[in-house]
Amino acid sequence: VTTQDLPATHRVLRSTVRDDGTVEVSLRSEPVPQPGADQVLVRVEAAPINPSDFYLMFAGADFTRAERVDAGHPAVRAPLPAGALASVATRVGKDLPVGNEGAGVVVAAGSSEAARALLGRTVAVFGGAMYAQYRAVGADQVLALHEGTTPEQGASCFVNPLTALGMVETMRLEGHRALVHTAAASNLGQMLVRICQADGIGLVNIVRRDDQVRLLADLGAEHVVSSGEAGFADDLAAAVAATGATIAFDATGGGDLADQILTAMERAVTAASTEYARYGSDIHKQVYIYGGLDRRPTTLRRTYGFAWGVGGWLLVPFLARLGPEGTRRLRQRVADEVTTTFASSYAKQISLDQVVDPAEIAVYGRLATGQKYLVTPARG
Ligand SMILES: NC(=O)c1ccc[n+]([C@@H]2O[C@H](COP(=O)([O-])OP(=O)(O)OC[C@H]3O[C@@H](n4cnc5c(N)ncnc54)[C@H](OP(=O)(O)O)[C@@H]3O)[C@@H](O)[C@H]2O)c1
């Protein structure tokens, strides 16, 4: 069942690691997918470029050296750093689709009742291949947005909102009462500030510059510390002590930030105790690395006893741990608060053609504060 005449072909963005040590990002013309019985066909109106999309698209290549190539379709190529090909060997020669999430309008549906009920609705989709004009997806996989929510407003319903909510859920599940967050002026960090305000949870925001301190203070964040300040270690320890935070989510991953956080937590815990503990405090302190913004190795000096952990954290395995009921609860909160708590802002809206424009890549590739781009595949 369709609501409009559909074209035979549409444009799809693909990323290919080549065996010559370059990555090619290209726009292909492909048949428009037919929805299966339980599927809907979404005309994709808006999809954000999140860091995870950028990493998949450029595979760690030097995006500042992206150059247009004549591949018979719009395309750019960028060189991988020396020796990096081995780490992406399993994707060499494969044309991968890109775009984890987005939103659009259901323009065709399969025969099932659930699929037909979505015809004409504006929906958010999480499932990859969203940098395309059309996407066929299971009716049970889409999030139907409230009447009046636009695709632009609903484009970022999953990756950052569910991760920010997942941090708070993890905090509770693992018995902590407040949390520390790094690269905290990010789009995700701003959502976390609003969630913690709404839910009355202590949050220590770590940023690296003064303008980021101001940005979060303007949002009403109570504890914002900058790693760019000389007094960072003391400021961090004071904020950790004030909130009682014993769990942190670190988007940078590299260098000694995780170490500094564990040190501050141990300082806060031992300052509250009068007893000397030769093996350090027995309060568990946890840092989850959930991003890789800093590519350096992670340095841990281990000067905080033995009750600590550093591990990885990823959204999809976390949702599996939370289960279908918990996941539904989080998704519904996002749909209900997508224009408030989970509102995203974008520096620019770009067409699929502009995604492969070296001048645009040079900007969105920086992953800088307030520079998130929104791709609008349906438009031109
Ligand atoms: N594990 C998961 O499941 C999961 C899910 C969602 C998101 N994430 C991660 O969450 C993070 C934030 O995503 P987003 O979409 O909110 O990002 P965003 O809005 O694009 O912002 C990126 C932020 O990172 C900062 N940054 C970049 N490089 C940095 C570095 N080396 N050290 C410190 N700060 C740095 C930027 O600040 P400057 O302006 O100072 O550069 C900016 O504030 C990303 O790392 C992403 O991969 C992970």
Side-chain angles (χ1 to χ4, degrees), residues 50-52 55 159-160 163 183 185-189 208-209 212 251-252 290-294 313-316 366-370 372:
N50 287 320
S52 50
Y55 299 138
V159 177
N160 285 340
T163 299
S186 66
N187 179 264
L188 189 157
R208 59 176 175 178
R209 287 196 316 268
Q212 295 166 333
T252 72
Y290 79 101
L293 293 166
D294 185 331
W313 193 100
L314 262 184
L315 174 60
V316 173
R366 289 207 301 266
L367 309 177
T369 305
K372 194 178 290 295

